[in-house]
């Protein structure tokens, strides 16, 4: 485990922060962006809520999103609390090979600026509809991803 991951885990325990993963270094301000989803059984993406900055209380998700950026990948979270979360990651071989050589970043954000997307305090995704300045950021890499990545 890298020193960055250890520090991020300590911040996660404080329950005051959210995390945003990105391959981009030294972002001064995160801008709201339009997210999209592909409804089950459909092929075309549709807008998914208002433009917003997305963040998560689940550090592992932020690390995965930061490091696994090429190819195909996905994740799912099942949890009542952050501590008991079961997180499943999947990616194709291209995504895994690219991630092994990638340096990325996790941005630390103040939780008070966000609302849970589903209204549930343990929601995987929290959103902020205005630009937000990170409190800090940490370098992460493939070795910081805990658990297995299932190949698809």
């Amino acid at each position: 485990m890298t020193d960055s991951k250890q520090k991020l885990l300590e911040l996660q325990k404080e329950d005051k922060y959210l995390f945003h993963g990105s391959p981009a270094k030294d972002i001064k301000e995160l801008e709201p962006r339009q997210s999209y989803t592909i409804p089950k059984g459909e092929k075309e993406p549709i807008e998914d809520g208002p433009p917003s900055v997305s963040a998560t209380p689940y550090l592992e998700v932020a690390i995965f999103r930061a490091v696994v950026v090429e190819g195909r990948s996905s994740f799912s979270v099942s949890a009542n609390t952050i501590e008991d979360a079961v997180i499943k990651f999947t990616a194709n071989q291209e995504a895994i090979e690219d991630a092994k050589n990638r340096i990325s970043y996790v941005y630390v954000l103040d939780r008070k600026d966000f609302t849970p997307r589903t209204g549930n305090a343990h929601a995987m995704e929290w959103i902020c509809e205005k630009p937000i300045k990170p409190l800090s950021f940490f370098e992460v890499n493939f070795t910081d991803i805990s658990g297995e990545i299932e190949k698809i």
Side-chain angles (χ1 to χ4, degrees):
M1 179 184 315
T2 63
D3 287 344
S4 290
K5 171 90 181 260
Q6 186 60 45
K7 290 174 185 170
L8 285 162
L9 285 168
E10 290 169 15
L11 290 171
Q12 180 178 252
K13 289 178 188 173
E14 292 183 35
D15 209 29
K16 297 189 299 189
Y17 306 105
L18 298 174
F19 307 98
H20 178 90
S22 174
K25 182 179 183 179
D26 201 24
I27 297 173
K28 301 295 184 209
E29 185 173 75
L30 293 162
E31 295 285 335
R33 303 271 168 87
Q34 181 63 58
S35 61
Y36 295 89
T37 189
I38 300 174
K40 193 170 190 137
E42 299 293 325
K43 293 183 181 184
E44 295 299 317
I46 61 170
E47 290 184 0
D48 191 12
S52 59
V53 175
S54 294
T56 181
Y58 299 94
L59 175 59
E60 294 296 335
V61 171
I63 293 170
F64 182 80
R65 298 282 296 180
V67 176
V68 182
V69 296
E70 296 294 329
R72 290 179 39 228
S73 64
S74 67
F75 61 90
S76 64
V77 177
S78 175
N80 291 317
T81 67
I82 290 171
E83 293 78 25
D84 75 359
V86 175
I87 302 172
K88 179 183 175 185
F89 298 118
T90 61
N92 68 2
Q93 190 64 37
E94 174 191 359
I96 293 169
E97 290 306 315
D98 176 75
K100 287 179 181 177
N101 299 307
R102 183 175 291 280
I103 301 295
S104 293
Y105 305 88
V106 170
Y107 291 84
V108 179
L109 308 168
D110 194 329
R111 185 184 288 245
K112 71 177 174 44
D113 295 322
F114 289 77
T115 56
R117 184 160 187 196
T118 62
N120 177 339
H122 300 295
M124 189 283 301
E125 184 179 19
W126 290 51
I127 59 172
C128 178
E129 294 181 28
K130 61 181 178 138
I132 191 87
K133 292 183 180 183
L135 301 172
S136 60
F137 69 95
F138 294 86
E139 185 177 288
V140 294
N141 62 52
F142 187 77
T143 65
D144 290 313
I145 299 172
S146 297
E148 295 290 318
I149 299 175
E150 180 183 323
K151 288 183 187 172
I152 52 174

